[in-house]
Amino acid sequence: MSTSDHGLRDGLPIRDWYASEDRPKPIRDRYAKLSALRELGVEPYAYSFDPSHSLAQAHDAHDEQASVGVRVAGRLLSFRDMGKSAFAHLGDHSGRLQIYCKRDRMDEAEWRVLELLDLGDWVGVEGPLFRTRTGEITVQVERLTLLSKTLRPLPLGKTEVLEDGSEVVHSGFADVAMRYRQRYADLAVHPDVREVFVARARIIQALRGLLDDQGYLEVETPVLQPLYGGAFARPFTTHHNTLDQTMYLRIADELYLKRLIVGNLDRVYEVGKVFRNEGLDRTHNPEFSMLELYRAYADYEDMMATAEQLVSAAAAAVLTGTTIEWNGQSIDLSTPWERITFHDAIRKFADVAPETATVEELRHALPEGLEGLQEMDRSSLLDELFSSRVEPNLVNPTIVFDYPIEMSPLAKPKRGAPELAERFEVIVGGTELVNAFSELNDPIDQWDRFTAQARARQEGNLEAQALDVDYVRALEYGLPPTGGLGIGIDRLVMLLTGQSAIRDVLLYPVLRDVNE
């Protein structure tokens, strides 16, 4: 930006931009009030304010027998001018509270500030609490401070009071895509959206609390990696300039966490972001959150119990019972969960004998028109058959276990049935929630599986896993028997908050770029 361009917006000096006739009238009016405030010597963007209570706390602090003074702050949500007095409502994270301003009880300069306020402005007030004749607890304003002047009106909705006295809020921000793009405005005007993210924090806190109590150590592994692995997925690729080296955003935490088990950290977990260069749909976002944990001396049976404990702890943090409604389905989260083998599930819901079915029989059992059907190998066909024919039928939490070994390159062979892997997934409401293994700790077997994956990559499978020589080296130092588990936090939050799309539980989901 050159010196001559400094302060320009759309070719205009920034102050002229706000006052331009090209701006909507509400923006021009608010800028005029901002200018008037500055002419009065009022700083419209305060440096600090020290509330004594949240709005909900102030409401609860009212005492019919004694005068209670409070100092509170929030956004101006409503304003009713009565000439020499005014009623208004402030809103904050905890709720809303009425305030009452009377001209003869306020400083004249502060009354002038009141006249220059708009809905959405941040305001601090101080004064005693009282109850109005209609029974509403209210702050009698003695001091008023403007904390932040808004130059753009929030998309506030309207509240309709029904005949039975209940209230219905009609959103002023109905464009769902715009709500994702302007999440700051969405949160400001929709308390129910804020509650989803409060619940998300409580769910993660509950997961951490359970694992901490069980002696797990929370760790951090690299997000930027020289070699990605631990899942079937395509990575995001970048370049490190100093090292002149291609780097990848991690697609899983698994291989780095298991290296720590080799290093005698017997129980570890990580809550963090992983990145997969894949499509967007109701349950997928390229950037998402996972909890992965690994426990020495455990196997997949132990991980089944851990999965039940984790989901139960998360549910208890935000629910009052174990039955929820999600996507029109009633789901019972109570334990123990139903268990079924992978092959039995295919037989039951796809009417195919997976052990003996030919590749053509598997293709025939899949829905017509599926993209890339003819190029899929047996493993891919079984995976697609499970996703399309089995998962939609699993509503209550179901542990599907003993997957074909070729679908699980990081899991141990099943004892007594080496064609299977000691692996399970938890399916809830037709969606995968948990994936877990008895972890493969034989370095020779792991090398063979990695090289098979490498051949698959050479043949065009871009989601096949890479050959990680250093990980095999770690196994050569000795990985004890280990159980591992990964749980999709975003999907868990969707389930426990009743949200049908992953974007509704992500503060900033990935969106297509648009010119605005």
Side-chain angles (χ1 to χ4, degrees), residues 179-180 183 186-187 193 196-197 200 273 280 283-289 489-491 493-494 499 501-510:
R179 287 173 57 187
Y180 296 144
R183 182 66 89 183
D186 185 31
L187 291 166
V193 174
V196 168
F197 293 101
R200 181 188 176 99
K273 296 283 190 181
L280 298 133
T283 60
H284 292 86
N285 189 72
E287 174 186 3
F288 61 100
S289 296
I489 287 177
D490 307 314
R491 292 183 182 179
V493 175
M494 287 172 61
Q499 304 302 309
I502 194 169
R503 291 180 177 183
D504 291 321
V505 300
L506 301 175
L507 282 169
Y508 301 107
V510 173

PDB file of all heavy atoms in Angstrom, residues 179-180 183 186-187 193 196-197 200 273 280 283-289 489-491 493-494 499 501-510:
ATOM      1  N   ARG A 179     -24.495 -16.833   8.083  1.00  0.00           N
ATOM      2  CA  ARG A 179     -24.262 -17.022   9.521  1.00  0.00           C
ATOM      3  C   ARG A 179     -22.924 -17.712   9.751  1.00  0.00           C
ATOM      4  O   ARG A 179     -22.192 -17.367  10.691  1.00  0.00           O
ATOM      5  CB  ARG A 179     -25.393 -17.844  10.129  1.00  0.00           C
ATOM      6  CG  ARG A 179     -26.701 -17.076  10.252  1.00  0.00           C
ATOM      7  CD  ARG A 179     -27.834 -17.982  10.691  1.00  0.00           C
ATOM      8  NE  ARG A 179     -27.536 -18.642  11.952  1.00  0.00           N
ATOM      9  CZ  ARG A 179     -28.305 -19.581  12.492  1.00  0.00           C
ATOM     10  NH1 ARG A 179     -29.393 -19.989  11.871  1.00  0.00           N
ATOM     11  NH2 ARG A 179     -27.972 -20.125  13.648  1.00  0.00           N
ATOM     12  N   TYR A 180     -22.556 -18.696   8.907  1.00  0.00           N
ATOM     13  CA  TYR A 180     -21.252 -19.341   9.051  1.00  0.00           C
ATOM     14  C   TYR A 180     -20.127 -18.362   8.753  1.00  0.00           C
ATOM     15  O   TYR A 180     -19.094 -18.349   9.433  1.00  0.00           O
ATOM     16  CB  TYR A 180     -21.138 -20.537   8.107  1.00  0.00           C
ATOM     17  CG  TYR A 180     -22.096 -21.670   8.381  1.00  0.00           C
ATOM     18  CD1 TYR A 180     -22.652 -22.408   7.335  1.00  0.00           C
ATOM     19  CD2 TYR A 180     -22.447 -22.021   9.680  1.00  0.00           C
ATOM     20  CE1 TYR A 180     -23.519 -23.457   7.572  1.00  0.00           C
ATOM     21  CE2 TYR A 180     -23.320 -23.066   9.932  1.00  0.00           C
ATOM     22  CZ  TYR A 180     -23.856 -23.786   8.866  1.00  0.00           C
ATOM     23  OH  TYR A 180     -24.727 -24.823   9.103  1.00  0.00           O
ATOM     24  N   ARG A 183     -19.729 -15.586  11.738  1.00  0.00           N
ATOM     25  CA  ARG A 183     -20.072 -16.289  12.980  1.00  0.00           C
ATOM     26  C   ARG A 183     -20.147 -15.329  14.160  1.00  0.00           C
ATOM     27  O   ARG A 183     -20.936 -15.522  15.086  1.00  0.00           O
ATOM     28  CB  ARG A 183     -19.032 -17.378  13.247  1.00  0.00           C
ATOM     29  CG  ARG A 183     -19.317 -18.203  14.482  1.00  0.00           C
ATOM     30  CD  ARG A 183     -20.591 -19.032  14.342  1.00  0.00           C
ATOM     31  NE  ARG A 183     -20.323 -20.324  13.749  1.00  0.00           N
ATOM     32  CZ  ARG A 183     -21.252 -21.222  13.452  1.00  0.00           C
ATOM     33  NH1 ARG A 183     -22.527 -20.932  13.678  1.00  0.00           N
ATOM     34  NH2 ARG A 183     -20.933 -22.368  12.905  1.00  0.00           N
ATOM     35  N   ASP A 186     -23.568 -14.115  14.155  1.00  0.00           N
ATOM     36  CA  ASP A 186     -24.448 -15.239  14.492  1.00  0.00           C
ATOM     37  C   ASP A 186     -24.460 -15.479  15.993  1.00  0.00           C
ATOM     38  O   ASP A 186     -25.523 -15.626  16.620  1.00  0.00           O
ATOM     39  CB  ASP A 186     -23.944 -16.469  13.744  1.00  0.00           C
ATOM     40  CG  ASP A 186     -24.839 -17.692  13.909  1.00  0.00           C
ATOM     41  OD1 ASP A 186     -26.063 -17.511  14.057  1.00  0.00           O
ATOM     42  OD2 ASP A 186     -24.308 -18.813  13.859  1.00  0.00           O
ATOM     43  N   LEU A 187     -23.286 -15.504  16.613  1.00  0.00           N
ATOM     44  CA  LEU A 187     -23.190 -15.710  18.055  1.00  0.00           C
ATOM     45  C   LEU A 187     -23.833 -14.560  18.824  1.00  0.00           C
ATOM     46  O   LEU A 187     -24.461 -14.766  19.867  1.00  0.00           O
ATOM     47  CB  LEU A 187     -21.725 -15.844  18.463  1.00  0.00           C
ATOM     48  CG  LEU A 187     -20.998 -17.106  17.999  1.00  0.00           C
ATOM     49  CD1 LEU A 187     -19.497 -16.941  18.165  1.00  0.00           C
ATOM     50  CD2 LEU A 187     -21.484 -18.325  18.767  1.00  0.00           C
ATOM     51  N   VAL A 193     -27.102 -20.706  19.576  1.00  0.00           N
ATOM     52  CA  VAL A 193     -25.830 -21.039  18.935  1.00  0.00           C
ATOM     53  C   VAL A 193     -24.700 -20.955  19.962  1.00  0.00           C
ATOM     54  O   VAL A 193     -23.827 -21.824  20.022  1.00  0.00           O
ATOM     55  CB  VAL A 193     -25.560 -20.104  17.739  1.00  0.00           C
ATOM     56  CG1 VAL A 193     -24.165 -20.361  17.156  1.00  0.00           C
ATOM     57  CG2 VAL A 193     -26.625 -20.312  16.665  1.00  0.00           C
ATOM     58  N   VAL A 196     -24.465 -24.086  22.032  1.00  0.00           N
ATOM     59  CA  VAL A 196     -23.824 -25.239  21.398  1.00  0.00           C
ATOM     60  C   VAL A 196     -22.329 -25.231  21.693  1.00  0.00           C
ATOM     61  O   VAL A 196     -21.735 -26.265  22.031  1.00  0.00           O
ATOM     62  CB  VAL A 196     -24.071 -25.236  19.873  1.00  0.00           C
ATOM     63  CG1 VAL A 196     -23.170 -26.263  19.174  1.00  0.00           C
ATOM     64  CG2 VAL A 196     -25.533 -25.526  19.566  1.00  0.00           C
ATOM     65  N   PHE A 197     -21.705 -24.065  21.620  1.00  0.00           N
ATOM     66  CA  PHE A 197     -20.256 -24.001  21.810  1.00  0.00           C
ATOM     67  C   PHE A 197     -19.865 -24.027  23.285  1.00  0.00           C
ATOM     68  O   PHE A 197     -18.768 -24.474  23.631  1.00  0.00           O
ATOM     69  CB  PHE A 197     -19.694 -22.794  21.066  1.00  0.00           C
ATOM     70  CG  PHE A 197     -19.831 -22.971  19.574  1.00  0.00           C
ATOM     71  CD1 PHE A 197     -20.852 -22.339  18.880  1.00  0.00           C
ATOM     72  CD2 PHE A 197     -18.993 -23.833  18.899  1.00  0.00           C
ATOM     73  CE1 PHE A 197     -21.010 -22.541  17.515  1.00  0.00           C
ATOM     74  CE2 PHE A 197     -19.151 -24.039  17.538  1.00  0.00           C
ATOM     75  CZ  PHE A 197     -20.149 -23.397  16.844  1.00  0.00           C
ATOM     76  N   ARG A 200     -19.950 -27.688  23.750  1.00  0.00           N
ATOM     77  CA  ARG A 200     -18.748 -28.287  23.171  1.00  0.00           C
ATOM     78  C   ARG A 200     -17.581 -28.219  24.152  1.00  0.00           C
ATOM     79  O   ARG A 200     -16.853 -29.206  24.350  1.00  0.00           O
ATOM     80  CB  ARG A 200     -18.390 -27.570  21.868  1.00  0.00           C
ATOM     81  CG  ARG A 200     -17.164 -28.132  21.173  1.00  0.00           C
ATOM     82  CD  ARG A 200     -16.734 -27.262  19.998  1.00  0.00           C
ATOM     83  NE  ARG A 200     -15.507 -27.797  19.417  1.00  0.00           N
ATOM     84  CZ  ARG A 200     -15.449 -28.559  18.330  1.00  0.00           C
ATOM     85  NH1 ARG A 200     -16.548 -28.853  17.665  1.00  0.00           N
ATOM     86  NH2 ARG A 200     -14.294 -29.017  17.882  1.00  0.00           N
ATOM     87  N   LYS A 273      -6.422 -30.679  16.338  1.00  0.00           N
ATOM     88  CA  LYS A 273      -6.905 -30.587  14.967  1.00  0.00           C
ATOM     89  C   LYS A 273      -6.143 -31.551  14.066  1.00  0.00           C
ATOM     90  O   LYS A 273      -4.923 -31.707  14.182  1.00  0.00           O
ATOM     91  CB  LYS A 273      -6.718 -29.164  14.433  1.00  0.00           C
ATOM     92  CG  LYS A 273      -7.538 -28.106  15.157  1.00  0.00           C
ATOM     93  CD  LYS A 273      -8.985 -28.153  14.732  1.00  0.00           C
ATOM     94  CE  LYS A 273      -9.754 -26.943  15.257  1.00  0.00           C
ATOM     95  NZ  LYS A 273     -11.173 -27.000  14.872  1.00  0.00           N
ATOM     96  N   LEU A 280     -16.552 -31.846   1.395  1.00  0.00           N
ATOM     97  CA  LEU A 280     -17.359 -31.270   2.470  1.00  0.00           C
ATOM     98  C   LEU A 280     -18.758 -31.846   2.368  1.00  0.00           C
ATOM     99  O   LEU A 280     -19.358 -31.865   1.292  1.00  0.00           O
ATOM    100  CB  LEU A 280     -17.425 -29.743   2.317  1.00  0.00           C
ATOM    101  CG  LEU A 280     -16.093 -29.008   2.407  1.00  0.00           C
ATOM    102  CD1 LEU A 280     -15.968 -28.012   1.273  1.00  0.00           C
ATOM    103  CD2 LEU A 280     -16.002 -28.277   3.723  1.00  0.00           C
ATOM    104  N   THR A 283     -21.192 -34.470   7.512  1.00  0.00           N
ATOM    105  CA  THR A 283     -20.374 -34.959   8.624  1.00  0.00           C
ATOM    106  C   THR A 283     -18.880 -34.787   8.385  1.00  0.00           C
ATOM    107  O   THR A 283     -18.087 -35.292   9.173  1.00  0.00           O
ATOM    108  CB  THR A 283     -20.671 -36.452   8.898  1.00  0.00           C
ATOM    109  OG1 THR A 283     -20.361 -37.222   7.730  1.00  0.00           O
ATOM    110  CG2 THR A 283     -22.127 -36.656   9.277  1.00  0.00           C
ATOM    111  N   HIS A 284     -18.481 -34.110   7.305  1.00  0.00           N
ATOM    112  CA  HIS A 284     -17.054 -33.943   7.005  1.00  0.00           C
ATOM    113  C   HIS A 284     -16.690 -32.478   6.811  1.00  0.00           C
ATOM    114  O   HIS A 284     -17.384 -31.743   6.104  1.00  0.00           O
ATOM    115  CB  HIS A 284     -16.672 -34.710   5.728  1.00  0.00           C
ATOM    116  CG  HIS A 284     -16.728 -36.197   5.869  1.00  0.00           C
ATOM    117  ND1 HIS A 284     -17.884 -36.912   5.684  1.00  0.00           N
ATOM    118  CD2 HIS A 284     -15.770 -37.103   6.190  1.00  0.00           C
ATOM    119  CE1 HIS A 284     -17.638 -38.214   5.872  1.00  0.00           C
ATOM    120  NE2 HIS A 284     -16.366 -38.336   6.182  1.00  0.00           N
ATOM    121  N   ASN A 285     -15.587 -32.084   7.447  1.00  0.00           N
ATOM    122  CA  ASN A 285     -14.969 -30.782   7.236  1.00  0.00           C
ATOM    123  C   ASN A 285     -13.467 -31.053   7.120  1.00  0.00           C
ATOM    124  O   ASN A 285     -12.928 -31.870   7.885  1.00  0.00           O
ATOM    125  CB  ASN A 285     -15.257 -29.851   8.422  1.00  0.00           C
ATOM    126  CG  ASN A 285     -14.825 -28.425   8.156  1.00  0.00           C
ATOM    127  OD1 ASN A 285     -15.448 -27.720   7.365  1.00  0.00           O
ATOM    128  ND2 ASN A 285     -13.760 -27.975   8.807  1.00  0.00           N
ATOM    129  N   PRO A 286     -12.760 -30.425   6.192  1.00  0.00           N
ATOM    130  CA  PRO A 286     -11.334 -30.749   6.014  1.00  0.00           C
ATOM    131  C   PRO A 286     -10.478 -30.526   7.262  1.00  0.00           C
ATOM    132  O   PRO A 286      -9.449 -31.166   7.422  1.00  0.00           O
ATOM    133  CB  PRO A 286     -10.905 -29.807   4.882  1.00  0.00           C
ATOM    134  CG  PRO A 286     -12.165 -29.539   4.129  1.00  0.00           C
ATOM    135  CD  PRO A 286     -13.244 -29.500   5.162  1.00  0.00           C
ATOM    136  N   GLU A 287     -10.900 -29.634   8.137  1.00  0.00           N
ATOM    137  CA  GLU A 287     -10.222 -29.398   9.416  1.00  0.00           C
ATOM    138  C   GLU A 287     -11.177 -29.823  10.516  1.00  0.00           C
ATOM    139  O   GLU A 287     -12.287 -29.309  10.604  1.00  0.00           O
ATOM    140  CB  GLU A 287      -9.866 -27.920   9.559  1.00  0.00           C
ATOM    141  CG  GLU A 287      -9.282 -27.552  10.904  1.00  0.00           C
ATOM    142  CD  GLU A 287      -9.080 -26.041  11.061  1.00  0.00           C
ATOM    143  OE1 GLU A 287      -9.452 -25.293  10.135  1.00  0.00           O
ATOM    144  OE2 GLU A 287      -8.581 -25.628  12.111  1.00  0.00           O
ATOM    145  N   PHE A 288     -10.783 -30.780  11.334  1.00  0.00           N
ATOM    146  CA  PHE A 288     -11.682 -31.253  12.381  1.00  0.00           C
ATOM    147  C   PHE A 288     -10.891 -31.662  13.616  1.00  0.00           C
ATOM    148  O   PHE A 288      -9.658 -31.718  13.584  1.00  0.00           O
ATOM    149  CB  PHE A 288     -12.547 -32.408  11.879  1.00  0.00           C
ATOM    150  CG  PHE A 288     -11.792 -33.634  11.426  1.00  0.00           C
ATOM    151  CD1 PHE A 288     -11.666 -34.725  12.259  1.00  0.00           C
ATOM    152  CD2 PHE A 288     -11.219 -33.687  10.164  1.00  0.00           C
ATOM    153  CE1 PHE A 288     -10.974 -35.860  11.851  1.00  0.00           C
ATOM    154  CE2 PHE A 288     -10.528 -34.821   9.745  1.00  0.00           C
ATOM    155  CZ  PHE A 288     -10.404 -35.906  10.587  1.00  0.00           C
ATOM    156  N   SER A 289     -11.604 -31.929  14.691  1.00  0.00           N
ATOM    157  CA  SER A 289     -10.957 -32.210  15.981  1.00  0.00           C
ATOM    158  C   SER A 289     -11.084 -33.681  16.335  1.00  0.00           C
ATOM    159  O   SER A 289     -12.156 -34.279  16.171  1.00  0.00           O
ATOM    160  CB  SER A 289     -11.578 -31.362  17.092  1.00  0.00           C
ATOM    161  OG  SER A 289     -11.344 -30.000  16.863  1.00  0.00           O
ATOM    162  N   ILE A 489     -14.433 -35.583  17.810  1.00  0.00           N
ATOM    163  CA  ILE A 489     -15.067 -34.661  18.760  1.00  0.00           C
ATOM    164  C   ILE A 489     -16.219 -33.913  18.110  1.00  0.00           C
ATOM    165  O   ILE A 489     -17.285 -33.736  18.715  1.00  0.00           O
ATOM    166  CB  ILE A 489     -14.018 -33.696  19.331  1.00  0.00           C
ATOM    167  CG1 ILE A 489     -13.121 -34.459  20.315  1.00  0.00           C
ATOM    168  CG2 ILE A 489     -14.680 -32.502  20.030  1.00  0.00           C
ATOM    169  CD1 ILE A 489     -11.995 -33.642  20.888  1.00  0.00           C
ATOM    170  N   ASP A 490     -16.038 -33.474  16.870  1.00  0.00           N
ATOM    171  CA  ASP A 490     -17.101 -32.709  16.218  1.00  0.00           C
ATOM    172  C   ASP A 490     -18.371 -33.543  16.086  1.00  0.00           C
ATOM    173  O   ASP A 490     -19.478 -33.059  16.331  1.00  0.00           O
ATOM    174  CB  ASP A 490     -16.640 -32.228  14.842  1.00  0.00           C
ATOM    175  CG  ASP A 490     -15.318 -31.474  14.913  1.00  0.00           C
ATOM    176  OD1 ASP A 490     -15.189 -30.622  15.804  1.00  0.00           O
ATOM    177  OD2 ASP A 490     -14.426 -31.750  14.100  1.00  0.00           O
ATOM    178  N   ARG A 491     -18.226 -34.797  15.692  1.00  0.00           N
ATOM    179  CA  ARG A 491     -19.401 -35.661  15.559  1.00  0.00           C
ATOM    180  C   ARG A 491     -20.031 -35.957  16.919  1.00  0.00           C
ATOM    181  O   ARG A 491     -21.251 -36.058  17.033  1.00  0.00           O
ATOM    182  CB  ARG A 491     -19.020 -36.950  14.839  1.00  0.00           C
ATOM    183  CG  ARG A 491     -18.648 -36.733  13.385  1.00  0.00           C
ATOM    184  CD  ARG A 491     -18.351 -38.036  12.682  1.00  0.00           C
ATOM    185  NE  ARG A 491     -17.941 -37.793  11.297  1.00  0.00           N
ATOM    186  CZ  ARG A 491     -17.597 -38.763  10.452  1.00  0.00           C
ATOM    187  NH1 ARG A 491     -17.610 -40.031  10.847  1.00  0.00           N
ATOM    188  NH2 ARG A 491     -17.225 -38.474   9.215  1.00  0.00           N
ATOM    189  N   VAL A 493     -20.035 -33.898  19.454  1.00  0.00           N
ATOM    190  CA  VAL A 493     -20.759 -32.679  19.813  1.00  0.00           C
ATOM    191  C   VAL A 493     -22.058 -32.581  19.018  1.00  0.00           C
ATOM    192  O   VAL A 493     -23.103 -32.199  19.556  1.00  0.00           O
ATOM    193  CB  VAL A 493     -19.871 -31.438  19.591  1.00  0.00           C
ATOM    194  CG1 VAL A 493     -20.668 -30.152  19.842  1.00  0.00           C
ATOM    195  CG2 VAL A 493     -18.659 -31.481  20.515  1.00  0.00           C
ATOM    196  N   MET A 494     -22.012 -32.916  17.723  1.00  0.00           N
ATOM    197  CA  MET A 494     -23.239 -32.936  16.915  1.00  0.00           C
ATOM    198  C   MET A 494     -24.295 -33.802  17.584  1.00  0.00           C
ATOM    199  O   MET A 494     -25.451 -33.406  17.744  1.00  0.00           O
ATOM    200  CB  MET A 494     -22.939 -33.484  15.519  1.00  0.00           C
ATOM    201  CG  MET A 494     -22.178 -32.562  14.598  1.00  0.00           C
ATOM    202  SD  MET A 494     -21.672 -33.405  13.064  1.00  0.00           S
ATOM    203  CE  MET A 494     -23.272 -33.858  12.363  1.00  0.00           C
ATOM    204  N   GLN A 499     -27.327 -31.347  16.685  1.00  0.00           N
ATOM    205  CA  GLN A 499     -27.037 -30.638  15.434  1.00  0.00           C
ATOM    206  C   GLN A 499     -26.858 -31.643  14.297  1.00  0.00           C
ATOM    207  O   GLN A 499     -26.172 -32.648  14.448  1.00  0.00           O
ATOM    208  CB  GLN A 499     -25.771 -29.794  15.578  1.00  0.00           C
ATOM    209  CG  GLN A 499     -25.816 -28.805  16.731  1.00  0.00           C
ATOM    210  CD  GLN A 499     -26.971 -27.846  16.642  1.00  0.00           C
ATOM    211  OE1 GLN A 499     -27.194 -27.211  15.608  1.00  0.00           O
ATOM    212  NE2 GLN A 499     -27.736 -27.729  17.713  1.00  0.00           N
ATOM    213  N   ALA A 501     -25.567 -30.962  11.185  1.00  0.00           N
ATOM    214  CA  ALA A 501     -24.466 -30.667  10.270  1.00  0.00           C
ATOM    215  C   ALA A 501     -23.226 -30.286  11.056  1.00  0.00           C
ATOM    216  O   ALA A 501     -23.298 -29.567  12.052  1.00  0.00           O
ATOM    217  CB  ALA A 501     -24.848 -29.526   9.315  1.00  0.00           C
ATOM    218  N   ILE A 502     -22.068 -30.758  10.590  1.00  0.00           N
ATOM    219  CA  ILE A 502     -20.818 -30.501  11.306  1.00  0.00           C
ATOM    220  C   ILE A 502     -20.512 -29.011  11.355  1.00  0.00           C
ATOM    221  O   ILE A 502     -19.891 -28.523  12.311  1.00  0.00           O
ATOM    222  CB  ILE A 502     -19.657 -31.298  10.649  1.00  0.00           C
ATOM    223  CG1 ILE A 502     -18.434 -31.320  11.583  1.00  0.00           C
ATOM    224  CG2 ILE A 502     -19.301 -30.762   9.278  1.00  0.00           C
ATOM    225  CD1 ILE A 502     -17.344 -32.281  11.145  1.00  0.00           C
ATOM    226  N   ARG A 503     -20.965 -28.250  10.355  1.00  0.00           N
ATOM    227  CA  ARG A 503     -20.698 -26.808  10.364  1.00  0.00           C
ATOM    228  C   ARG A 503     -21.339 -26.118  11.563  1.00  0.00           C
ATOM    229  O   ARG A 503     -20.874 -25.060  11.987  1.00  0.00           O
ATOM    230  CB  ARG A 503     -21.215 -26.173   9.074  1.00  0.00           C
ATOM    231  CG  ARG A 503     -20.431 -26.569   7.829  1.00  0.00           C
ATOM    232  CD  ARG A 503     -21.008 -25.907   6.597  1.00  0.00           C
ATOM    233  NE  ARG A 503     -20.223 -26.218   5.414  1.00  0.00           N
ATOM    234  CZ  ARG A 503     -20.460 -25.720   4.207  1.00  0.00           C
ATOM    235  NH1 ARG A 503     -21.475 -24.882   4.035  1.00  0.00           N
ATOM    236  NH2 ARG A 503     -19.705 -26.048   3.180  1.00  0.00           N
ATOM    237  N   ASP A 504     -22.397 -26.713  12.105  1.00  0.00           N
ATOM    238  CA  ASP A 504     -23.092 -26.092  13.230  1.00  0.00           C
ATOM    239  C   ASP A 504     -22.365 -26.275  14.551  1.00  0.00           C
ATOM    240  O   ASP A 504     -22.759 -25.678  15.557  1.00  0.00           O
ATOM    241  CB  ASP A 504     -24.515 -26.639  13.331  1.00  0.00           C
ATOM    242  CG  ASP A 504     -25.388 -26.187  12.177  1.00  0.00           C
ATOM    243  OD1 ASP A 504     -25.254 -25.021  11.759  1.00  0.00           O
ATOM    244  OD2 ASP A 504     -26.192 -26.996  11.686  1.00  0.00           O
ATOM    245  N   VAL A 505     -21.316 -27.110  14.573  1.00  0.00           N
ATOM    246  CA  VAL A 505     -20.547 -27.278  15.811  1.00  0.00           C
ATOM    247  C   VAL A 505     -19.108 -26.795  15.645  1.00  0.00           C
ATOM    248  O   VAL A 505     -18.278 -26.982  16.530  1.00  0.00           O
ATOM    249  CB  VAL A 505     -20.563 -28.746  16.296  1.00  0.00           C
ATOM    250  CG1 VAL A 505     -21.995 -29.200  16.568  1.00  0.00           C
ATOM    251  CG2 VAL A 505     -19.884 -29.682  15.308  1.00  0.00           C
ATOM    252  N   LEU A 506     -18.812 -26.168  14.499  1.00  0.00           N
ATOM    253  CA  LEU A 506     -17.505 -25.566  14.260  1.00  0.00           C
ATOM    254  C   LEU A 506     -17.674 -24.055  14.245  1.00  0.00           C
ATOM    255  O   LEU A 506     -18.524 -23.534  13.516  1.00  0.00           O
ATOM    256  CB  LEU A 506     -16.929 -26.024  12.918  1.00  0.00           C
ATOM    257  CG  LEU A 506     -16.716 -27.527  12.731  1.00  0.00           C
ATOM    258  CD1 LEU A 506     -16.254 -27.817  11.313  1.00  0.00           C
ATOM    259  CD2 LEU A 506     -15.716 -28.058  13.736  1.00  0.00           C
ATOM    260  N   LEU A 507     -16.886 -23.367  15.026  1.00  0.00           N
ATOM    261  CA  LEU A 507     -17.006 -21.912  15.035  1.00  0.00           C
ATOM    262  C   LEU A 507     -16.709 -21.327  13.660  1.00  0.00           C
ATOM    263  O   LEU A 507     -17.398 -20.407  13.204  1.00  0.00           O
ATOM    264  CB  LEU A 507     -16.054 -21.320  16.076  1.00  0.00           C
ATOM    265  CG  LEU A 507     -16.535 -21.424  17.526  1.00  0.00           C
ATOM    266  CD1 LEU A 507     -15.411 -21.051  18.487  1.00  0.00           C
ATOM    267  CD2 LEU A 507     -17.760 -20.542  17.765  1.00  0.00           C
ATOM    268  N   TYR A 508     -15.703 -21.861  12.992  1.00  0.00           N
ATOM    269  CA  TYR A 508     -15.314 -21.327  11.688  1.00  0.00           C
ATOM    270  C   TYR A 508     -15.135 -22.475  10.689  1.00  0.00           C
ATOM    271  O   TYR A 508     -14.014 -22.905  10.421  1.00  0.00           O
ATOM    272  CB  TYR A 508     -14.027 -20.503  11.799  1.00  0.00           C
ATOM    273  CG  TYR A 508     -14.152 -19.335  12.747  1.00  0.00           C
ATOM    274  CD1 TYR A 508     -13.536 -19.356  13.993  1.00  0.00           C
ATOM    275  CD2 TYR A 508     -14.915 -18.224  12.407  1.00  0.00           C
ATOM    276  CE1 TYR A 508     -13.658 -18.284  14.870  1.00  0.00           C
ATOM    277  CE2 TYR A 508     -15.046 -17.149  13.276  1.00  0.00           C
ATOM    278  CZ  TYR A 508     -14.416 -17.188  14.498  1.00  0.00           C
ATOM    279  OH  TYR A 508     -14.547 -16.133  15.371  1.00  0.00           O
ATOM    280  N   PRO A 509     -16.222 -23.005  10.139  1.00  0.00           N
ATOM    281  CA  PRO A 509     -16.096 -24.094   9.171  1.00  0.00           C
ATOM    282  C   PRO A 509     -15.456 -23.628   7.873  1.00  0.00           C
ATOM    283  O   PRO A 509     -15.468 -22.433   7.542  1.00  0.00           O
ATOM    284  CB  PRO A 509     -17.552 -24.531   8.945  1.00  0.00           C
ATOM    285  CG  PRO A 509     -18.352 -23.301   9.234  1.00  0.00           C
ATOM    286  CD  PRO A 509     -17.622 -22.595  10.340  1.00  0.00           C
ATOM    287  N   VAL A 510     -14.899 -24.584   7.132  1.00  0.00           N
ATOM    288  CA  VAL A 510     -14.325 -24.280   5.819  1.00  0.00           C
ATOM    289  C   VAL A 510     -15.470 -23.999   4.844  1.00  0.00           C
ATOM    290  O   VAL A 510     -16.428 -24.772   4.748  1.00  0.00           O
ATOM    291  CB  VAL A 510     -13.467 -25.454   5.317  1.00  0.00           C
ATOM    292  CG1 VAL A 510     -13.010 -25.220   3.879  1.00  0.00           C
ATOM    293  CG2 VAL A 510     -12.260 -25.650   6.234  1.00  0.00           C
TER     294      VAL A 510
END
